[in-house]
Amino acid sequence: MSADHLPEHPDFLWRNPEPKSSYDAVIVGGGGHGLATAYFLAKNHGMTNIAVLEKGWLAGGNMARNTTIIRSNYLWDESAAIYEHALKLWEILPEELEYDFLFSQRGVMNLAHTLGDVRESVRRVGANKLNGVDAEWLDPQQVKELCPILNISDNIRYPVMGATYQPRAGIAKHDHVAWAFARKCDELGVDIIQNCEVTGFLKDGNRVVGVQTNQGTIHTEKVGLAAAGHSSVLAEMAGFRLPIQSHPLQALVSELHEPVHPTVVMSNHVHVYVSQAHKGELVMGAGVDSYNGYGQRGSFHVIEHQMAAGVELFPIFARAHVLRTWGGIVDTTMDASPIIGTTPVENMFVNCGWGTGGFKGTPAAGLTFAHTIATGTPHELNKPFSLERFETGALIDEHGAAAVAH
Amino acid sequence: MAETATPANPETLRAARRSPASHLAPTFESGSVAGTVALKEIPFQTMVGVRVDRASDAGARLASVTGGLPAACGEVSGDERATTLWLGPDEFLVVAPESAHDSLGGDLVRALVEALGDDPGQVVDLSANRTTFELSGIRARDVLEKGCSLDLHPRAFRTGTALATEIGNIPAMLLKTGEDSFRIFPRASFADFLGRWLLDGMREFASPEVP
Amino acid sequence: MLLISCPNCGPRDETEFHYGGQAHVAYPENPDALTDRQWAEYLFYRDNTKGAFAERWVHSTGCRQWFNMLRDTVSYDIQAIYKMGEPRPDANTTAATTSEGATK
């Protein structure tokens, strides 16, 4: 495998315009979710006089730092609906965006290592099937057939007792996804403004009417927040609170290897998730650092723990090397489900709380958040994911399916 | 305290017991390097958890049974009857030989229970909670340092002090009993893991030193 | 890896500790009297400060005691460690002095 097999980039991606003095809507956060939101605002709702403000470089936050896993095997009806919708969009987006971002439906396995895991997993497979999500329960032998390098022997602390498997799940090249959305946004007239940090909001009473940035004041009728780990900071500027906590989440890659890992393997219990990128790196994710952090880095023992888990499950990795590690800032909620909807501030909307699993949700976050911003009311798919659920108690507990414990 | 079982003959009890690392005894012996580093289990020590305010009357009564209660992290007190380790500001671990246990003819637990009386506090027989490893020899510190990030240099970690910490990623008490000898108190369920960890750490010292 | 100075045991690796989230959040005096909104605030809403943050930690592998810590959530610098029940000390007094000094 070599870089020769990667598709070529388009000649042109996007302009770098100066911000205008006013827009119909402003999206704060130029990551995957912000760009997808702008794309669907322009495509589905005809809103093209809009801007995406990014404080750093485009898609340089969690969009550049995730482990690119895409799946929809969540437990509850509400989650299955939104994540499965996202997966269906992933299936058509390369064509729609005219950009091959290497969406590879190589399947995702979630391993079970305890009887509790097995019960939870089998339950989830059943729930998935009822919701039209492709899901299977595999015994250890079937696990081994799909991923021969996995250690299914019983001489390890937590032997593999089986796995859930979603064949349509997989990975995609995250940077290319961002560039695909950005290029289409630009084509549709959306202004993508990088190095533009929001420093405050202009309000008329309880209604937001503009944003203050390091590139000047921008007037706007509507504001959509899509800033992941920094959502609380923005909410505080706007005068409300969000029930989220920002934690560092780390991942790493090895050097390039020949293809050895045909699928994606996730393990909640011994805690590591592994795939092999198109170029050949082994991509592995860890658990969150326990403490709150905005530092885009975490503690080394988390990496050590993750490597121990990786080598136990994949003895062949023992002689691979860690090439790079990094951290992102994930916005976790108490029920491990996102928040997409209205806020206490009029004309301000929020998409956050995706925590450790935002990448897979990108298209559905964009679609539903665009609908919410354009119409002022949530789409059917994001109605249950409102901020109000923390008051009504209608939580959507996805700690089992979320894969990264927090 | 209600009697829940018919008192058995102490010798029958002794014969029925297996210590948490008993299966490793031959490996500990063959893995020890004479004159360099040695590992063995000291099974079935009597251990009693005590929680009490040191400054209270009950604290004073308990101290008279144990030969003092240590005042701060690292401190160890005791006499020939028992050694008492500091676990926290109001928490202590009393360690005594096997024969001190009430079921084997001793009276340590009863004496502590009586000393506490009805005052606020706790005396709990924890003899089965942990086992004891003895790691000794001129390389003992080198072995420990592979899995323990405390400063174990003699100027920082003195003979006669004890610390609760992590060794090989598991929680354990570490007591320094002599210049080159340590006692480690892992919980019983970790004994196998820690025993093998220490053996692995000892392996290099069985080979001639690479100049 | 954070190096945390336990008030009882001195500096120890972060792995010996567990995190307890935001400090100084009192249980409501009269939970029955709260509105759903107020109860949600108590149950699910915690500060998510970028900067100096007062939080609880417990030295689980050592003395098993809880304590409070003031830590910068960006630099991860530990600015103060203080007892449970004590009020939060002033945040990062050194930095404040420096910036004030610069403007004078």
Side-chain angles (χ1 to χ4, degrees), chain A residues 162-211:
Chain A
T164 67
Y165 183 59
Q166 184 178 21
R168 284 163 60 242
I171 56 173
K173 194 151 172 54
H174 48 169
D175 294 334
H176 292 207
V177 173
W179 300 339
F181 276 117
R183 186 172 68 124
K184 277 292 165 191
C185 282
D186 186 86
E187 260 178 44
L188 291 162
V190 176
D191 281 359
I192 298 168
I193 302 161
Q194 302 182 77
N195 302 310
C196 185
E197 181 167 4
V198 170
T199 54
F201 294 100
L202 297 177
K203 288 189 351 188
D204 178 4
N206 188 40
R207 188 162 55 93
V208 66
V209 294
V211 297

Side-chain angles (χ1 to χ4, degrees), chain B residues 87-105:
Chain B
L87 296 186
D90 60 0
E91 188 171 10
F92 312 91
L93 184 68
V94 184
V95 182
E98 182 185 2
S99 58
H101 197 274
D102 303 51
S103 66
L104 300 174

Side-chain angles (χ1 to χ4, degrees), chain A residues 19 52 68 78 117 123 205 225 247 286 312 369:
Chain A
V52 177
T68 82
E78 297 86 348
D117 274 1
R123 176 192 181 197
L225 307 179
H247 290 274
E312 182 161 275
F369 197 36

Side-chain angles (χ1 to χ4, degrees), chain B residues 45-124:
Chain B
Q45 290 210 92
T46 301
M47 297 191 205
V48 189
V50 172
R51 296 203 71 163
V52 72
D53 177 358
R54 278 181 81 248
S56 66
D57 291 345
R61 292 198 301 271
L62 282 159
S64 70
V65 176
T66 60
L69 291 176
C73 178
E75 288 185 14
V76 173
S77 61
D79 49 24
E80 59 290 339
R81 184 182 197 185
T83 303
T84 304
L85 282 57
W86 185 94
L87 296 186
D90 60 0
E91 188 171 10
F92 312 91
L93 184 68
V94 184
V95 182
E98 182 185 2
S99 58
H101 197 274
D102 303 51
S103 66
L104 300 174
D107 67 346
L108 182 64
V109 182
R110 188 180 51 80
L112 291 167
V113 168
E114 282 173 4
L116 178 64
D118 289 333
D119 285 5
Q122 195 178 64
V123 172
V124 186

